[in-house]
Amino acid sequence: MKANSVHFILGGKTPYKDLAVAFPDILKMFLIETDQMPEDEEILMMFIELNMTDLERNVKPEGYNRKGRMRMVFPMDREEFYIKAVGKGADVGRIGERISEMLSASGVHYKTVQNDITDL
C-alpha cells in the first residue's frame, strides 16, 4: 500500500529542540523534493527562522502547512511531526525515508508510522 503520510514520533524524552540540528536541511530537502521551494531566498530563510526559533525554545514549530503537494505538520496534541500528501503523485515514502536518514544522522530518537488515521 502506498503511503499517504509518514509520521515521525519523537521518542520518550526527546524534546523538540533536538530537531534543531537537522531541521534546516530537512525543510530545504522537503521543499526541493516536493517542488515547493520559494523563488525568493528570503522567504525560505523566513520559514527556517520561524521554525528554528520555536525549536530552540523547545516549542512545537509551525512546520510547512501551506497549499501545495505536500505538508509538514506538527500536530497540537502529540509530540511528533508528519508529512502528508495533499494530492496524488507525491512520493511520501521516499521523502519520509530521506527525513528518517537525516534524523538518525543527527541522533534524534524517534519511530516512524505510515498512514496513521489520526492525521485526518
Side-chain angles (χ1 to χ4, degrees):
M1 181 161 118
K2 189 171 181 179
N4 292 324
S5 67
V6 177
H7 298 250
F8 303 91
I9 302 165
L10 301 181
K13 303 220 181 234
T14 301
Y16 282 119
K17 65 183 177 182
D18 285 1
L19 298 174
V21 173
F23 190 80
D25 292 333
I26 289 172
L27 183 60
K28 287 178 194 174
M29 180 276 301
F30 172 80
L31 293 172
I32 289 168
E33 291 291 326
T34 61
D35 198 27
Q36 298 180 109
M37 180 64 88
E39 290 182 25
D40 189 343
E41 179 75 17
E42 288 183 15
I43 293 173
L44 172 63
M45 297 313 294
M46 177 196 66
F47 289 143
I48 292 171
E49 184 64 30
L50 288 172
N51 283 286
M52 289 300 292
T53 299
D54 288 338
L55 288 171
E56 289 166 352
R57 291 182 20 232
N58 200 33
V59 175
K60 180 194 81 66
E62 177 184 345
Y64 189 82
N65 196 9
R66 290 164 175 71
K67 286 185 177 182
R69 296 176 47 191
M70 196 177 296
R71 295 184 177 153
M72 180 185 295
V73 178
F74 285 80
M76 298 293 286
D77 61 342
R78 53 200 190 273
E79 291 190 353
E80 72 175 67
F81 71 97
Y82 61 89
I83 57 172
K84 179 173 178 59
V86 176
K88 295 186 180 195
D91 194 355
V92 176
R94 182 180 56 78
I95 294 170
E97 287 176 16
R98 294 205 49 208
I99 292 172
S100 185
E101 291 168 1
M102 296 168 96
L103 290 172
S104 294
S106 297
V108 175
H109 299 284
Y110 68 96
K111 69 177 184 175
T112 59
V113 177
Q114 291 188 356
N115 297 332
D116 187 354
I117 61 169
T118 60
D119 66 358
L120 302 174

